[in-house]
Amino acid sequence: MLDMITFAFLKEKHGVYGKQRLWGTVGWGIMASVTGVVIQKYNEHSKDGYIDYRPAFWLLLSCIGIAVCFNAFISVKIEHHSQNITEDVLCVVKKPEVLVFLFAVFAFGLQFGALITFTLWYLVDLGASETLLGLTLATESIFEVPFLFIAGWFIKRIGHVRCFYLGFLAWGVRFIGQSYLKNPWWILLLNPFHGVAFGLVYASFVSFSNVIAVPGTSATIQGLVSGVFDGIGGGLGSLVGGMLYESYGGAITFRCFGILALVSLLVYWLMNCFLKPELAPSLKMQNGLEETIRQNDCNLLHEKPFAMEEERKELVEQNLTHQNLIST
């Protein structure tokens, strides 16, 4: 819902989404560092070695309360409402390029599930302190910020698909490198890859979701993509990761996920090789040109996610010509 609200405010300025999202990363990094220090200080005099994590939940409740107070004053105007939400969503989801996109989202979710569930656990097994755990999350956030800031520039220059290619490569390098750690402090050298693996990728697939959504379905499409990423992909990544971690340990688990990221890169590339984006000028002409242009824009996303104004004008002219031919 937050992503949908953000795009409602941004309107047509999809490319600056990352500049808004980066403030969430800043907050995440600050609170991760603060929470790590607070927990360590709170447990300094613990005699039984038991770590009490209650301060983290107290801080969480405080932040949620502050967020609720601010959100109560946000007013969002939804300009488009879908007449048939189910039909409109299915119209988007059944397109081959969208199905391939959802595969990528699912594959990224697998990696993210392993990351958030087992990275800190793995570092603790290597002897990391609570301060290092907080610092790990903080440095991940630090490297997310610049990539979220320039995500729009990347998407315009190389397209969503190539941003996903870079993301898969970053996940693979990070996890394979992580699997060979002996000293937990070396994790800080691998955290720069998180900027591409999560920052650039997240901004790309949220942007892609908003562009392909039929007017009035943005929230539903964003929810679908988030469900595939966090729910199905993240949940399955945690489940499979837990089975691997229990049987083979952290090193083998992350090595397997690193190899999986590289295999996913290959599969995703092959899928895109078989896609042949075409400009189809006759999609439900009786409903006007907007739906046709939106479909054509979706096809162009493979290489040019944000169609230039000249291209859109050309599409309009093509469809007007087609309408005239039909009427005559």
Side-chain angles (χ1 to χ4, degrees), residues 72-116:
F73 295 96
I74 295 178
S75 178
V76 182
K77 181 180 179 181
I78 305 299
E79 298 181 355
H80 301 284
H81 297 275
S82 174
Q83 299 299 319
N84 190 329
I85 187 68
T86 303
E87 181 180 343
D88 288 341
V89 170
L90 289 177
C91 178
V92 174
V93 173
K94 69 181 182 181
K95 296 177 182 177
E97 61 267 33
V98 176
L99 292 174
V100 172
F101 162 64
L102 290 176
F103 164 79
V105 173
F106 169 73
F108 285 126
L110 290 174
Q111 307 298 320
F112 188 68
L115 172 75
I116 63 173

Short mmCIF file of all heavy atoms in Angstrom, two decimals, residues 72-116:
data_model
loop_
_atom_site.label_atom_id
_atom_site.label_comp_id
_atom_site.label_asym_id
_atom_site.label_seq_id
_atom_site.Cartn_x
_atom_site.Cartn_y
_atom_site.Cartn_z
N ALA A 72 -1.94 9.35 9.81
CA ALA A 72 -3.32 9.80 9.99
C ALA A 72 -3.60 11.11 9.27
O ALA A 72 -4.75 11.45 8.99
CB ALA A 72 -3.62 9.96 11.48
N PHE A 73 -2.54 11.85 8.93
CA PHE A 73 -2.71 13.15 8.27
C PHE A 73 -2.44 13.09 6.77
O PHE A 73 -2.45 14.12 6.10
CB PHE A 73 -1.77 14.18 8.91
CG PHE A 73 -2.09 14.47 10.35
CD1 PHE A 73 -1.41 13.82 11.38
CD2 PHE A 73 -3.08 15.38 10.69
CE1 PHE A 73 -1.70 14.07 12.70
CE2 PHE A 73 -3.39 15.64 12.01
CZ PHE A 73 -2.70 14.99 13.03
N ILE A 74 -2.19 11.88 6.23
CA ILE A 74 -1.94 11.73 4.79
C ILE A 74 -3.26 11.53 4.06
O ILE A 74 -4.07 10.67 4.42
CB ILE A 74 -1.00 10.53 4.51
CG1 ILE A 74 0.38 10.79 5.12
CG2 ILE A 74 -0.88 10.28 3.01
CD1 ILE A 74 1.34 9.64 4.93
N SER A 75 -3.49 12.35 3.04
CA SER A 75 -4.70 12.24 2.22
C SER A 75 -4.29 11.87 0.80
O SER A 75 -3.49 12.57 0.18
CB SER A 75 -5.47 13.56 2.23
OG SER A 75 -6.62 13.48 1.40
N VAL A 76 -4.84 10.77 0.28
CA VAL A 76 -4.49 10.28 -1.04
C VAL A 76 -5.71 10.31 -1.94
O VAL A 76 -6.78 9.81 -1.56
CB VAL A 76 -3.93 8.84 -0.98
CG1 VAL A 76 -3.52 8.37 -2.38
CG2 VAL A 76 -2.75 8.77 -0.03
N LYS A 77 -5.56 10.88 -3.13
CA LYS A 77 -6.65 10.93 -4.10
C LYS A 77 -6.39 9.90 -5.20
O LYS A 77 -5.38 9.98 -5.90
CB LYS A 77 -6.76 12.33 -4.72
CG LYS A 77 -7.90 12.44 -5.73
CD LYS A 77 -7.95 13.85 -6.31
CE LYS A 77 -9.08 13.95 -7.34
NZ LYS A 77 -9.14 15.31 -7.96
N ILE A 78 -7.27 8.94 -5.32
CA ILE A 78 -7.15 7.91 -6.35
C ILE A 78 -7.93 8.39 -7.57
O ILE A 78 -9.16 8.57 -7.52
CB ILE A 78 -7.70 6.56 -5.87
CG1 ILE A 78 -7.00 6.13 -4.57
CG2 ILE A 78 -7.52 5.51 -6.96
CD1 ILE A 78 -5.51 5.96 -4.71
N GLU A 79 -7.21 8.63 -8.68
CA GLU A 79 -7.83 9.22 -9.86
C GLU A 79 -8.58 8.20 -10.72
O GLU A 79 -9.48 8.56 -11.46
CB GLU A 79 -6.76 9.93 -10.71
CG GLU A 79 -6.08 11.09 -9.97
CD GLU A 79 -5.05 11.78 -10.83
OE1 GLU A 79 -4.80 11.29 -11.96
OE2 GLU A 79 -4.49 12.79 -10.39
N HIS A 80 -8.17 6.93 -10.67
CA HIS A 80 -8.79 5.92 -11.51
C HIS A 80 -9.33 4.77 -10.65
O HIS A 80 -8.69 4.36 -9.69
CB HIS A 80 -7.78 5.35 -12.52
CG HIS A 80 -7.20 6.39 -13.43
ND1 HIS A 80 -7.89 6.93 -14.48
CD2 HIS A 80 -5.98 7.00 -13.42
CE1 HIS A 80 -7.13 7.82 -15.10
NE2 HIS A 80 -5.97 7.88 -14.47
N HIS A 81 -10.48 4.28 -11.01
CA HIS A 81 -11.07 3.13 -10.32
C HIS A 81 -11.41 2.07 -11.36
O HIS A 81 -12.03 2.36 -12.39
CB HIS A 81 -12.33 3.56 -9.56
CG HIS A 81 -12.07 4.55 -8.47
ND1 HIS A 81 -11.67 4.17 -7.20
CD2 HIS A 81 -12.13 5.90 -8.46
CE1 HIS A 81 -11.51 5.25 -6.45
NE2 HIS A 81 -11.78 6.32 -7.20
N SER A 82 -11.03 0.86 -11.08
CA SER A 82 -11.29 -0.23 -12.02
C SER A 82 -12.75 -0.65 -11.95
O SER A 82 -13.33 -0.76 -10.87
CB SER A 82 -10.39 -1.43 -11.69
OG SER A 82 -10.71 -2.54 -12.49
N GLN A 83 -13.35 -0.88 -13.12
CA GLN A 83 -14.73 -1.34 -13.18
C GLN A 83 -14.83 -2.84 -12.92
O GLN A 83 -15.82 -3.33 -12.41
CB GLN A 83 -15.32 -1.01 -14.56
CG GLN A 83 -15.34 0.47 -14.88
CD GLN A 83 -16.18 1.27 -13.91
OE1 GLN A 83 -17.27 0.84 -13.51
NE2 GLN A 83 -15.69 2.44 -13.50
N ASN A 84 -13.79 -3.56 -13.30
CA ASN A 84 -13.74 -5.01 -13.07
C ASN A 84 -12.31 -5.38 -12.70
O ASN A 84 -11.49 -5.67 -13.57
CB ASN A 84 -14.20 -5.76 -14.32
CG ASN A 84 -14.39 -7.25 -14.05
OD1 ASN A 84 -13.72 -7.85 -13.21
ND2 ASN A 84 -15.32 -7.87 -14.78
N ILE A 85 -12.01 -5.33 -11.41
CA ILE A 85 -10.64 -5.50 -10.95
C ILE A 85 -10.06 -6.85 -11.32
O ILE A 85 -8.90 -6.97 -11.73
CB ILE A 85 -10.55 -5.26 -9.42
CG1 ILE A 85 -9.09 -5.26 -8.95
CG2 ILE A 85 -11.35 -6.30 -8.67
CD1 ILE A 85 -8.30 -4.10 -9.42
N THR A 86 -10.87 -7.91 -11.23
CA THR A 86 -10.38 -9.26 -11.54
C THR A 86 -9.98 -9.38 -13.00
O THR A 86 -8.90 -9.87 -13.34
CB THR A 86 -11.44 -10.32 -11.19
OG1 THR A 86 -11.79 -10.20 -9.82
CG2 THR A 86 -10.91 -11.71 -11.47
N GLU A 87 -10.86 -8.90 -13.88
CA GLU A 87 -10.58 -8.98 -15.32
C GLU A 87 -9.37 -8.14 -15.70
O GLU A 87 -8.52 -8.57 -16.50
CB GLU A 87 -11.80 -8.51 -16.11
CG GLU A 87 -11.61 -8.58 -17.63
CD GLU A 87 -12.83 -8.10 -18.38
OE1 GLU A 87 -13.91 -8.02 -17.77
OE2 GLU A 87 -12.69 -7.79 -19.58
N ASP A 88 -9.26 -6.95 -15.12
CA ASP A 88 -8.15 -6.06 -15.45
C ASP A 88 -6.82 -6.64 -14.98
O ASP A 88 -5.80 -6.56 -15.69
CB ASP A 88 -8.37 -4.69 -14.82
CG ASP A 88 -9.47 -3.91 -15.51
OD1 ASP A 88 -9.80 -4.26 -16.66
OD2 ASP A 88 -10.01 -2.96 -14.90
N VAL A 89 -6.80 -7.22 -13.78
CA VAL A 89 -5.56 -7.81 -13.26
C VAL A 89 -5.15 -9.02 -14.10
O VAL A 89 -3.98 -9.19 -14.44
CB VAL A 89 -5.73 -8.20 -11.78
CG1 VAL A 89 -4.54 -9.03 -11.31
CG2 VAL A 89 -5.87 -6.96 -10.92
N LEU A 90 -6.12 -9.88 -14.44
CA LEU A 90 -5.82 -11.05 -15.27
C LEU A 90 -5.31 -10.64 -16.64
O LEU A 90 -4.43 -11.30 -17.22
CB LEU A 90 -7.05 -11.93 -15.40
CG LEU A 90 -7.48 -12.70 -14.15
CD1 LEU A 90 -8.77 -13.47 -14.42
CD2 LEU A 90 -6.38 -13.66 -13.70
N CYS A 91 -5.83 -9.53 -17.17
CA CYS A 91 -5.39 -9.02 -18.46
C CYS A 91 -3.90 -8.68 -18.43
O CYS A 91 -3.19 -8.88 -19.40
CB CYS A 91 -6.21 -7.80 -18.85
SG CYS A 91 -5.74 -7.04 -20.41
N VAL A 92 -3.45 -8.17 -17.28
CA VAL A 92 -2.04 -7.82 -17.14
C VAL A 92 -1.19 -9.06 -16.88
O VAL A 92 -0.17 -9.29 -17.53
CB VAL A 92 -1.86 -6.81 -15.98
CG1 VAL A 92 -0.37 -6.56 -15.71
CG2 VAL A 92 -2.55 -5.50 -16.30
N VAL A 93 -1.64 -9.90 -15.95
CA VAL A 93 -0.83 -11.02 -15.48
C VAL A 93 -0.61 -12.08 -16.56
O VAL A 93 0.42 -12.75 -16.58
CB VAL A 93 -1.48 -11.65 -14.22
CG1 VAL A 93 -0.75 -12.92 -13.81
CG2 VAL A 93 -1.46 -10.65 -13.08
N LYS A 94 -1.56 -12.25 -17.48
CA LYS A 94 -1.45 -13.32 -18.47
C LYS A 94 -0.45 -13.01 -19.58
O LYS A 94 -0.15 -13.89 -20.39
CB LYS A 94 -2.81 -13.62 -19.06
CG LYS A 94 -3.37 -12.52 -19.95
CD LYS A 94 -4.75 -12.90 -20.47
CE LYS A 94 -5.31 -11.82 -21.41
NZ LYS A 94 -6.67 -12.18 -21.89
N LYS A 95 0.06 -11.80 -19.65
CA LYS A 95 1.02 -11.45 -20.69
C LYS A 95 2.34 -12.17 -20.44
O LYS A 95 2.82 -12.23 -19.29
CB LYS A 95 1.25 -9.94 -20.73
CG LYS A 95 0.01 -9.15 -21.10
CD LYS A 95 0.27 -7.66 -21.04
CE LYS A 95 -0.99 -6.87 -21.36
NZ LYS A 95 -0.79 -5.42 -21.24
N PRO A 96 2.99 -12.71 -21.46
CA PRO A 96 4.24 -13.47 -21.28
C PRO A 96 5.32 -12.67 -20.58
O PRO A 96 6.01 -13.19 -19.70
CB PRO A 96 4.65 -13.83 -22.72
CG PRO A 96 3.37 -13.83 -23.48
CD PRO A 96 2.53 -12.75 -22.87
N GLU A 97 5.49 -11.39 -20.96
CA GLU A 97 6.55 -10.60 -20.34
C GLU A 97 6.29 -10.37 -18.86
O GLU A 97 7.23 -10.25 -18.05
CB GLU A 97 6.73 -9.25 -21.06
CG GLU A 97 5.52 -8.34 -21.04
CD GLU A 97 4.65 -8.52 -22.25
OE1 GLU A 97 4.56 -9.65 -22.77
OE2 GLU A 97 4.03 -7.52 -22.68
N VAL A 98 5.02 -10.33 -18.45
CA VAL A 98 4.68 -10.15 -17.04
C VAL A 98 4.91 -11.44 -16.27
O VAL A 98 5.40 -11.43 -15.14
CB VAL A 98 3.22 -9.67 -16.88
CG1 VAL A 98 2.84 -9.57 -15.41
CG2 VAL A 98 3.03 -8.32 -17.57
N LEU A 99 4.60 -12.58 -16.86
CA LEU A 99 4.86 -13.88 -16.22
C LEU A 99 6.36 -14.08 -16.01
O LEU A 99 6.79 -14.58 -14.96
CB LEU A 99 4.29 -15.01 -17.08
CG LEU A 99 2.75 -15.08 -17.17
CD1 LEU A 99 2.33 -16.16 -18.15
CD2 LEU A 99 2.14 -15.33 -15.79
N VAL A 100 7.16 -13.68 -17.00
CA VAL A 100 8.62 -13.78 -16.86
C VAL A 100 9.09 -12.85 -15.74
O VAL A 100 9.97 -13.20 -14.94
CB VAL A 100 9.31 -13.43 -18.18
CG1 VAL A 100 10.81 -13.33 -18.00
CG2 VAL A 100 8.98 -14.50 -19.24
N PHE A 101 8.49 -11.67 -15.68
CA PHE A 101 8.81 -10.72 -14.61
C PHE A 101 8.49 -11.30 -13.24
O PHE A 101 9.28 -11.18 -12.30
CB PHE A 101 8.03 -9.42 -14.86
CG PHE A 101 7.92 -8.53 -13.66
CD1 PHE A 101 9.05 -7.95 -13.10
CD2 PHE A 101 6.68 -8.24 -13.10
CE1 PHE A 101 8.94 -7.11 -11.99
CE2 PHE A 101 6.56 -7.41 -12.01
CZ PHE A 101 7.70 -6.85 -11.44
N LEU A 102 7.33 -11.96 -13.11
CA LEU A 102 6.96 -12.56 -11.82
C LEU A 102 7.90 -13.69 -11.44
O LEU A 102 8.16 -13.92 -10.25
CB LEU A 102 5.51 -13.07 -11.88
CG LEU A 102 4.43 -11.98 -11.95
CD1 LEU A 102 3.05 -12.62 -12.10
CD2 LEU A 102 4.47 -11.09 -10.71
N PHE A 103 8.44 -14.40 -12.44
CA PHE A 103 9.46 -15.42 -12.14
C PHE A 103 10.67 -14.76 -11.50
O PHE A 103 11.23 -15.26 -10.51
CB PHE A 103 9.87 -16.16 -13.41
CG PHE A 103 11.17 -16.92 -13.25
CD1 PHE A 103 11.20 -18.15 -12.60
CD2 PHE A 103 12.36 -16.39 -13.72
CE1 PHE A 103 12.39 -18.84 -12.43
CE2 PHE A 103 13.56 -17.07 -13.54
CZ PHE A 103 13.58 -18.31 -12.91
N ALA A 104 11.10 -13.63 -12.06
CA ALA A 104 12.26 -12.91 -11.50
C ALA A 104 11.97 -12.45 -10.08
O ALA A 104 12.83 -12.57 -9.19
CB ALA A 104 12.62 -11.73 -12.39
N VAL A 105 10.78 -11.92 -9.86
CA VAL A 105 10.40 -11.46 -8.51
C VAL A 105 10.44 -12.63 -7.53
O VAL A 105 10.94 -12.49 -6.40
CB VAL A 105 9.00 -10.82 -8.54
CG1 VAL A 105 8.52 -10.51 -7.12
CG2 VAL A 105 9.01 -9.55 -9.38
N PHE A 106 9.91 -13.77 -7.94
CA PHE A 106 9.93 -14.96 -7.09
C PHE A 106 11.37 -15.39 -6.78
O PHE A 106 11.70 -15.71 -5.63
CB PHE A 106 9.19 -16.10 -7.79
CG PHE A 106 9.37 -17.45 -7.14
CD1 PHE A 106 8.76 -17.75 -5.94
CD2 PHE A 106 10.18 -18.41 -7.74
CE1 PHE A 106 8.92 -18.98 -5.34
CE2 PHE A 106 10.35 -19.66 -7.14
CZ PHE A 106 9.72 -19.94 -5.94
N ALA A 107 12.23 -15.39 -7.79
CA ALA A 107 13.63 -15.80 -7.59
C ALA A 107 14.34 -14.84 -6.64
O ALA A 107 15.13 -15.26 -5.79
CB ALA A 107 14.35 -15.86 -8.94
N PHE A 108 14.07 -13.54 -6.78
CA PHE A 108 14.66 -12.57 -5.86
C PHE A 108 14.12 -12.78 -4.44
O PHE A 108 14.85 -12.59 -3.46
CB PHE A 108 14.39 -11.14 -6.32
CG PHE A 108 15.22 -10.69 -7.48
CD1 PHE A 108 14.62 -10.19 -8.63
CD2 PHE A 108 16.60 -10.78 -7.45
CE1 PHE A 108 15.37 -9.79 -9.71
CE2 PHE A 108 17.37 -10.38 -8.52
CZ PHE A 108 16.76 -9.88 -9.67
N GLY A 109 12.86 -13.15 -4.34
CA GLY A 109 12.28 -13.42 -3.03
C GLY A 109 12.96 -14.57 -2.32
O GLY A 109 13.17 -14.54 -1.10
N LEU A 110 13.34 -15.61 -3.08
CA LEU A 110 14.08 -16.73 -2.49
C LEU A 110 15.37 -16.24 -1.85
O LEU A 110 15.72 -16.63 -0.72
CB LEU A 110 14.39 -17.77 -3.57
CG LEU A 110 13.24 -18.60 -4.14
CD1 LEU A 110 13.73 -19.46 -5.30
CD2 LEU A 110 12.61 -19.48 -3.06
N GLN A 111 16.11 -15.41 -2.58
CA GLN A 111 17.38 -14.90 -2.07
C GLN A 111 17.15 -14.01 -0.83
O GLN A 111 17.88 -14.12 0.16
CB GLN A 111 18.09 -14.08 -3.15
CG GLN A 111 18.29 -14.80 -4.47
CD GLN A 111 19.16 -16.03 -4.35
OE1 GLN A 111 20.15 -16.03 -3.64
NE2 GLN A 111 18.77 -17.09 -5.04
N PHE A 112 16.13 -13.16 -0.91
CA PHE A 112 15.87 -12.25 0.19
C PHE A 112 15.44 -13.00 1.44
O PHE A 112 15.81 -12.63 2.56
CB PHE A 112 14.79 -11.25 -0.22
CG PHE A 112 14.57 -10.15 0.78
CD1 PHE A 112 15.55 -9.20 1.00
CD2 PHE A 112 13.39 -10.07 1.50
CE1 PHE A 112 15.35 -8.18 1.92
CE2 PHE A 112 13.18 -9.07 2.42
CZ PHE A 112 14.17 -8.11 2.63
N GLY A 113 14.66 -14.07 1.26
CA GLY A 113 14.24 -14.88 2.39
C GLY A 113 15.43 -15.49 3.12
O GLY A 113 15.49 -15.51 4.36
N ALA A 114 16.40 -15.99 2.34
CA ALA A 114 17.61 -16.55 2.95
C ALA A 114 18.42 -15.47 3.65
O ALA A 114 18.98 -15.69 4.73
CB ALA A 114 18.45 -17.24 1.87
N LEU A 115 18.47 -14.29 3.05
CA LEU A 115 19.27 -13.20 3.61
C LEU A 115 18.75 -12.78 4.98
O LEU A 115 19.51 -12.75 5.97
CB LEU A 115 19.24 -12.00 2.66
CG LEU A 115 19.86 -10.72 3.22
CD1 LEU A 115 21.37 -10.83 3.22
CD2 LEU A 115 19.41 -9.51 2.41
N ILE A 116 17.46 -12.44 5.06
CA ILE A 116 16.94 -11.88 6.31
C ILE A 116 16.79 -12.93 7.40
O ILE A 116 16.75 -12.59 8.58
CB ILE A 116 15.59 -11.17 6.07
CG1 ILE A 116 14.53 -12.16 5.58
CG2 ILE A 116 15.75 -10.03 5.09
CD1 ILE A 116 13.14 -11.56 5.49
#
